[in-house]
Structure formats: C-alpha cells, structure tokens
Amino acid sequence: MTEPEKDQNTSDNVGTPKFEQQQVNYQQRKAEILKSFTDAYLELDLNSVVTYYNKEAERILSMPETAVLGENFWEVLADVLPQRFATEFRTARDTHTTVTFEEILIPNKTWLDVSVFPSGSGLSVYFKDITERKLAVEQLQAERRKYNDLFNRSPLPQWVYELGTFKFLDVNEAAIIHYGYSRAEFLSMTIKDIRREVDIPILTAISNKLKAGRFSKSTVKHQKKNGEVITVCVEGNSLSFGDKDARLVMAIDRTIEIESAEALKESVNRYNVVSKATSDAIWDWNMLTGEIVWNQGIKSIFGYPQASYTDKWWQKHVHPEDLDVVLTNYDSLRKNKKNRLKIEYRFQCADGSYRFVLDRAFITFNKEGIPVRGIGSMQDISEQKKTLDILERQNERLSQIAWIQSNKVKNPLVKMLGVISLMSISEGDLTSINEMVPLLKQLTSELDLALKEIAEKSS
C-alpha cells in the first residue's frame, strides 16, 4: 500500500491548518505589542464597535473593558466624549489620513492628546493624559499675563532694554505718558536717547558691570521728549527677554521730592541766617501735613538734632500741665480765624528738663478758611521767669514788711509815744509812772518782735 499523499493544507501539528496557526501567532504578538503601550489605545471597526481596549484607556475614560469591548464606542461613551471626538474620527475615516488633536473630557476635566489613523478595516486610536502639561502651560500663561498686567498697568514707568545694544524691547503705558514718546518711538530708540549727552559715558561703564540676575539701583537724570530734565531713581534687574539678555527697569521720578528737599534745605539755611540775629527757635508748620521745620535753635536751645519734626512730636513735648491750655488757644485761633497768637508754656528739652518758652505764632488760612501754614518763634524765657519769680517773691516780702510796719510796728510805737507823754505829764507822781512802766515794757517787746520779723522778711 502506497503511503497516502499528504494534504498540502495540513501542518505538522495534527488537525491545525498553517494559516490558523499563523493567525494565532499574529494575534499573540499583536496582543503583546499592544500590552506594552503605555498610552491609552483602542481599536474600532467600520461600525464603530470597540475591538480592542487597553488598561490605560480604562483608567483615562473611567470605563471598564467589559462595558466597552464589543459595544458601539459612541453609545457607551456618549456622556464622556465631547462632540469634537466624533468630528475628528469621521475625518480620519473618510479621508484615510491621520488626525491629531487635543481635547478635554467633560466629566473629569482631563486633557487628552489624541491621534486617530485608519488601520485595516477600522480606526486605531492613541491618546494620553496631558492634564499636568496643560495646567503647567496655563499656569505659565497666567504668570505671563500677570507679568504683563503688572508691567503694563504699573503706575510707574517701566521698560525692558537689550544689554549691549541698549535698544528698548518693551515699554509700558506709564512710561509712554510720562516721557512723551509713543510706543513706536520708544521701540526705535535706545536708552541713550533719554539720557543727557554728558551721562552716556557713565551709562556705558555701568552697563558693562551688570551681570545676569544682578539688581542695581541708582539716581540719574533723564530727558523727556519735550526736553525737560527729570531726576529719577532707577531700579533694574537682568532677565531673558525672548532670546536676548536684557534688563527690566523701573523709573521713579523724584524730581519734585528732590526739589522740595532742596527747597527745605534752603529754607532751613534761611532760618539759620535769621537765627544768628536771634536766640529764638524759629519754626515753619505745614498744617496740612503736620510737618514742622525748625532752624538750628531747636538744637542749640533744646538739644534736638533734627531740623524737621511733626506737630504730634511738638505736642508730646509740651508740659502735660500746660498742653490743654496751649491746644485750647490754638483751637480758638482756628475757629475765630485769627492770625496771631502769643502764649507761654513749658517745653521739654532733649535731656528731659523743661524750659519756659514764649511762643509767638502767625497763622495763614486758605480760601476755605482752613489753616494751612503757621510761622513763629519759640523764645526761651526761663531766665526771665526766674527773675520775675525772684521779683515777685521780693515784692511779696516788701508787701509783708509794709504791712508789718503799718500794723505791728506803728501801733506799739504810737502807744509807746502816748505812754511817754503820760509819763512826762505825771512827773513826780511815782505811782503813776510805776504803773505805766510794765505797759511800756510790753509795747517795747511788741516793737522788738515786729522789727525781728521785718529783719527775717528782708533776709
């Protein structure tokens, strides 16, 4: 018997056709490959039935494989997927092209990066969770918006310029308004264009020393478009602006402040010139701000080192027993719209002691009747007060002596003279004379006591 011819469609494995084994092997390899995907992955057939669905897809879509596999993709995930998914999937299917897009899942606010491409008789879909990346980008954008808001809405002039070329790279609205240049003009200029010619060599020298991240602060002169020169405090920090090394600068106009300080200094100097002709402490009181500017008398008389203090400071140094009277006088001056005031009180020195002062003030009012300025002098009258006290005490003693003289001396003296007259009349009448002698002794004692009291009052 001849050996039967082998069927060409059979394999060495009994009962298993070769193509079926190849299919099994292919599916196993495919399953192993798909399991190795770290991204979410699923497959759909032409009827949108899910034929494959991995673990990461389960996690991201919050839908188990058992609920999805073999089901219509759009029906089981209708509440999860936005409309854009259907639109993009349809585009990939109809155009046979790969479609990539980013979209957020409505229920859990998860951002997905999705790739859809035709595969065999359906669609293959890759997607991954990019929520953290999206949030980081949004945070970065928010920080940029915050920076832009801080930069553009700042009431202080700010700009960014490129190190080396000094070109303006950005400028805020406050700088445009304050300096008078338009944005286009600024961006066509360098920072040398707002500096005086004499300052440019210094600017170059300073710029060469600046390093990345180094903060600097200086007071410089800037020139506006109209030619006005202003004094500004410039604060700068290095940063990267795009691909350029740059400096972010904030310019604070101190012109008025410095001019006011110079005017104050000049005013104090004038006061000091006046003070050479007087021993008074001269003061100038801004009654709107409360600042009181003094000449050097505040130091030479009272020992305080500063030239400027507040009205609260002045009140604190008025003797507590005198403060109510002083404030009442000033309040009366304000209410009655009177200009002049002269008042005496005690004022504390730096060493804690008090001096008597005579304060003369002249107050000016604005159109609304509000006191705005007071100018005056504080004269140290401590010595005069001591002299007056001595004179008052002397006058008091003299008054007492006069009273003693008119009462305690005059009365016994008159009586003594009367007794002596009687003794003269009673000449030879020893009895009468003897009776008057004790009275004379008594009167003499009274006169002696009065004279001693006068002596005590005079010492």
Side-chain angles (χ1 to χ4, degrees):
M1 181 181 287
T2 62
E3 186 176 352
E5 186 178 14
K6 290 184 179 181
D7 190 340
Q8 292 181 353
N9 292 325
T10 61
S11 64
D12 293 336
N13 295 326
V14 178
T16 305
K18 285 186 178 181
F19 76 93
E20 291 181 359
Q21 183 61 43
Q22 290 173 350
Q23 284 285 81
V24 169
N25 293 340
Y26 168 75
Q27 292 296 334
Q28 288 177 345
R29 287 196 300 272
K30 178 181 176 181
E32 290 173 0
I33 293 172
L34 294 177
K35 286 180 181 179
S36 68
F37 288 174
T38 56
D39 293 340
Y41 177 77
L42 58 89
E43 291 181 353
L44 307 178
D45 65 16
L46 292 176
N47 296 318
S48 298
V49 173
V50 180
T51 58
Y52 187 83
Y53 189 81
N54 73 356
K55 292 293 184 183
E56 183 64 5
E58 284 186 293
R59 185 190 70 80
I60 292 178
L61 298 178
S62 301
M63 188 74 68
E65 181 186 32
T66 54
V68 177
L69 202 61
E71 302 293 334
N72 185 283
F73 183 68
W74 306 112
E75 291 178 0
V76 294
L77 292 168
D79 296 333
V80 177
L81 301 176
Q83 180 61 36
R84 186 179 179 187
F85 275 78
T87 302
E88 300 290 355
F89 277 41
R90 191 180 303 112
T91 299
R93 183 195 64 193
D94 295 344
T95 62
H96 300 283
T97 58
T98 300
V99 175
T100 301
F101 64 97
E102 293 179 0
E103 187 56 87
I104 187 170
L105 297 181
I106 298 171
N108 54 15
K109 305 298 183 184
T110 301
W111 274 97
L112 298 182
D113 182 8
V114 184
S115 295
V116 185
F117 57 91
S119 175
S121 59
L123 295 175
S124 294
V125 183
Y126 291 91
F127 53 100
K128 58 183 176 181
D129 187 343
I130 58 168
T131 306
E132 289 188 7
R133 189 188 79 190
K134 273 287 186 180
L135 292 176
V137 171
E138 288 177 0
Q139 185 177 1
L140 179 60
Q141 290 174 342
E143 289 297 323
R144 286 176 177 170
R145 286 193 298 270
K146 182 178 178 182
Y147 159 76
N148 288 331
D149 287 343
L150 288 173
F151 181 77
N152 292 315
R153 297 180 184 178
S154 170
L156 297 174
Q158 294 187 48
W159 56 75
V160 179
Y161 73 89
E162 184 180 8
L163 283 172
T165 67
F166 299 122
K167 285 189 62 176
F168 285 102
L169 300 177
D170 197 4
V171 62
N172 73 352
E173 190 65 24
I176 293 170
I177 294 171
H178 197 72
Y179 284 79
Y181 295 101
S182 67
R183 181 177 299 277
E185 287 175 323
F186 259 119
L187 297 181
S188 67
M189 296 161 50
T190 73
I191 60 173
K192 293 180 180 181
D193 295 318
I194 62 170
R195 298 295 289 268
R196 299 180 304 172
E197 193 70 30
V198 69
D199 296 331
I200 292 178
I202 300 174
L203 171 65
T204 304
I206 293 174
S207 180
N208 290 336
K209 295 179 181 180
L210 295 178
K211 296 179 180 178
R214 181 174 176 180
F215 173 81
S216 65
K217 183 177 181 179
S218 59
T219 300
V220 299
K221 298 284 187 181
H222 280 176
Q223 191 165 357
K224 296 183 178 181
K225 185 177 180 179
N226 62 8
E228 178 187 354
V229 176
I230 58 176
T231 303
V232 296
C233 176
V234 176
E235 298 180 2
N237 252 320
S238 295
L239 77 163
S240 293
F241 192 86
D243 58 349
K244 296 180 173 67
D245 292 331
R247 294 282 290 179
L248 172 63
V249 171
M250 179 171 64
I252 306 168
D253 191 343
R254 300 291 192 195
T255 306
I256 296 176
E257 180 183 334
I258 291 172
E259 288 178 353
S260 298
E262 290 175 351
L264 174 61
K265 184 178 179 181
E266 183 180 348
S267 177
V268 171
N269 288 336
R270 286 199 302 269
Y271 291 152
N272 289 335
V273 170
V274 174
S275 69
K276 291 180 180 178
T278 178
S279 59
D280 298 351
I282 301 172
W283 50 265
D284 188 343
W285 179 11
N286 185 330
M287 301 180 79
L288 298 178
T289 66
E291 182 185 31
I292 302 178
V293 178
W294 301 80
N295 75 333
Q296 63 183 12
I298 195 68
K299 180 178 181 181
S300 60
I301 300 172
F302 302 103
Y304 294 106
Q306 293 178 215
S308 175
Y309 291 96
T310 66
D311 52 2
K312 299 297 182 185
W313 175 89
W314 165 74
Q315 290 183 26
K316 184 179 178 182
H317 289 79
V318 175
H319 195 287
E321 295 177 4
D322 302 336
L323 183 59
D324 286 343
V325 174
V326 173
L327 295 180
T328 299
N329 275 270
Y330 270 101
D331 287 341
S332 176
L333 190 77
R334 291 186 179 97
K335 291 176 182 178
N336 298 315
K337 304 296 186 294
K338 292 185 177 181
N339 298 102
R340 297 185 183 277
L341 175 67
K342 183 168 70 173
I343 188 170
E344 294 181 8
Y345 56 89
R346 286 164 289 181
F347 190 77
Q348 189 178 36
C349 300
D351 61 6
S353 64
Y354 284 89
R355 290 180 180 268
F356 278 94
V357 297
L358 172 62
D359 205 345
R360 299 183 181 90
F362 182 84
I363 308 299
T364 59
F365 298 82
N366 63 14
K367 293 179 180 179
E368 289 75 30
I370 299 172
V372 294
R373 188 180 183 188
I375 300 174
S377 65
M378 189 185 288
Q379 181 184 1
D380 181 7
I381 58 171
S382 300
E383 293 301 321
Q384 294 94 312
K385 273 287 186 181
K386 288 180 182 178
T387 302
L388 287 174
D389 287 344
I390 293 172
L391 290 175
E392 287 177 0
R393 287 195 296 270
Q394 288 177 346
N395 288 336
E396 178 66 23
R397 286 198 299 269
L398 290 173
S399 296
Q400 291 174 353
I401 290 171
W403 186 86
I404 293 170
Q405 286 175 337
S406 63
N407 291 280
K408 293 185 178 182
V409 173
K410 186 177 181 180
N411 287 341
L413 184 59
V414 170
K415 290 178 181 179
M416 286 177 66
L417 291 174
V419 171
I420 292 172
S421 297
L422 288 174
M423 290 177 70
S424 299
I425 296 171
S426 303
E427 185 176 352
D429 187 354
L430 294 176
T431 301
S432 297
I433 292 172
N434 287 335
E435 289 176 353
M436 287 184 278
V437 168
L439 178 58
L440 187 60
K441 287 182 177 180
Q442 180 184 344
L443 293 171
T444 303
S445 296
E446 289 179 7
L447 183 59
D448 181 56
L449 289 173
L451 292 173
K452 286 180 178 178
E453 190 173 352
I454 290 172
E456 289 176 359
K457 296 292 184 184
S458 302
S459 60

